Amino acid sequence: MEKDCVFCQIIRGEKAADFLYQDESLVVFKDIHPHAPIHLLIVPRRHIRSINDLTEQDRDVISEMILRAGEMAREHSIAESGYKLLFNVERGGGQVIPHLHLHLVGGWG
Ligand code: AMP
Ligand code: ZN
């Protein structure tokens, strides 16, 4: 847990978020500035900076994130119409929050 990390603060309950799912290894909440009708963030509880920082010990959480994304898409009835999954990596890749997260965006129709 990082004191100044916005996503760690959300996970600790110090900052509000619109949670849609939580378990022991990850949380899902709505993006505060949605880029699409449905824009969710799938976030590991453990503070991992970016895809660059993944290690063997993160193998399970990464697969859980992707499986959860598919499940959230089904729950929001966008699995068949389609959606995008996106990891921004570091500044040049558009990553603003340095806590690993998977964007699920869709719902355009
Ligand atoms: P990225 O550019 O990949 O780091 O994405 C960070 C995302 O987090 C952006 O889409 C922001 O809109 C979103 N975001 C930032 N602060 C919050 C917050 N407090 N609650 C929910 N989403 C947030
Ligand atoms: Zn963090």
Side-chain angles (χ1 to χ4, degrees):
M1 288 287 175
E2 299 271 312
K3 194 164 143 308
D4 298 327
C5 169
V6 172
F7 286 179
C8 282
Q9 289 168 353
I10 288 173
I11 288 162
R12 284 198 298 262
E14 294 167 9
K15 197 173 171 65
D18 200 346
F19 284 100
L20 298 175
Y21 177 84
Q22 305 193 47
D23 65 22
E24 66 282 353
S25 50
L26 61 84
V27 302
V28 181
F29 51 86
K30 290 186 183 173
D31 195 294
I32 205 167
H33 298 303
H35 288 199
I38 293 169
H39 187 168
L40 311 183
L41 299 173
I42 296 140
V43 185
R45 286 188 184 274
R46 201 165 87 75
H47 182 90
I48 302 164
R49 181 185 165 89
S50 82
I51 287 282
N52 289 341
D53 300 276
L54 289 173
T55 67
E56 278 299 320
Q57 80 169 113
D58 303 314
R59 194 177 278 276
D60 286 350
V61 77
I62 283 295
S63 59
E64 285 172 37
M65 288 168 72
I66 294 169
L67 288 167
R68 182 52 47 191
E71 191 55 41
M72 298 310 292
R74 275 188 288 279
E75 277 181 24
H76 286 78
S77 307
I78 58 169
E80 283 187 18
S81 59
Y83 54 94
K84 295 181 199 230
L85 295 180
L86 181 71
F87 285 106
N88 292 330
V89 184
E90 296 297 340
R91 211 160 50 124
Q95 185 177 6
V96 175
I97 307 273
H99 180 134
L100 185 70
H101 50 281
L102 176 58
H103 293 259
L104 164 54
V105 286
W108 301 280

